[in-house]
Amino acid sequence: MSPYENRLDLTELKTAVDAIRAEIGKIIIGQHPTIDLLLTALLSDGHVLIEGVPGVAKTLMAKLLAKTISVDFSRIQFTPDLMPSDVLGTSIFNPKTTEFEYRRGPIFANIVLIDEINRAPAKTQAALFEVMEERQATNDGITYPLADPFLVLATQNPVEQEGTYRLPEAQLDRFLFKVVVGYPTILEEVNILKGHHERRNLTDAVEAVQPALTADQLRALRAQVHQVHIEDKLLEYIAQLVQNTRSNKSLFLGASPRASVALLNSSKALATLRGRDFVTPEDVQELAAPVLRHRVLLTPEREMEGGTADEVIGQVVHKIDVPR
């Protein structure tokens, strides 16, 4: 029996999460770990980078998650010719008032889906720095706050490199998670085929997905997540994990303090998804790779050996003593 039996009533959170899972599950077969990470990010108020080969439902998952929340949604297709003004908006002269008026861009929504984020050049990527971190946009010296809640869900294809741009480290650091979407199992793929065979129109099925949460309810659930208990020894554990990436011989670049905060906040959110109002070491370990994999860089030697960031993170987690 844990000394920290739930002091928070997580009934409303469980009801909302179960409803979201059910709505997404009407169309998406499998991918439960990915959906859990998206829900964790939603409760943590953090942005998500979704990586996977074409055809594994990255965009569809993000779109369905947005539909289960009763908030404004916009979608931006990133291309090499996309300009910052296409994302943030621009000032347009109004001949009636003889003044310039700011026309807000598609970034001014509660949930923003950015498709193929690595296809836009550095100038357009830089336009996201302020909005993702400070939740505001500046135009002609005037600052415009973004809507609350505000969540960026971005997709990218790791295989096709022609016509793509590497995301700056400063931008990657602004994503709470990098989620890697893999192929389905054979059984899941058979069920996907059955679903497509029985379903006449995917568009109608997506439109039938119902909102399970309002913006006010989401804010209330996030406030509840903030109250989740975490012991001091677990705070030290998180700090040790992140510190070790900075001195690891296999890594050229370690994780920043923002990674420590991300690991803390997401661990608290994951705990509530598991029905607890306290964090365990297992929560931290489960989220180490999604939080850290895009924030570290391998040394050239380790890359030449065929190593991956996930392997090094796994070694770091294994190396640090688990608090009990």
Side-chain angles (χ1 to χ4, degrees), residues 143-159:
T143 299
Y144 301 88
L146 271 74
D148 179 37
F150 174 67
L151 178 68
V152 172
L153 302 172
T155 69
Q156 71 175 13
N157 171 9
V159 179

Side-chain angles (χ1 to χ4, degrees), residues 4 31 59 73 104 126 175 196 210 317:
Y4 299 109
Q31 301 291 5
T59 301
F73 169 73
R104 301 186 177 204
F175 284 101
H196 276 269
Q210 296 297 313
V317 171

Side-chain angles (χ1 to χ4, degrees), residues 35 67 86 119 123 142 171 179 207 233 241 305:
I35 292 170
K67 282 190 68 66
D86 297 325
R119 289 205 171 274
K123 189 174 183 180
I142 301 175
Q171 183 180 359
V179 178
E207 289 301 317
K233 60 184 180 181
L241 287 174
E305 293 169 0

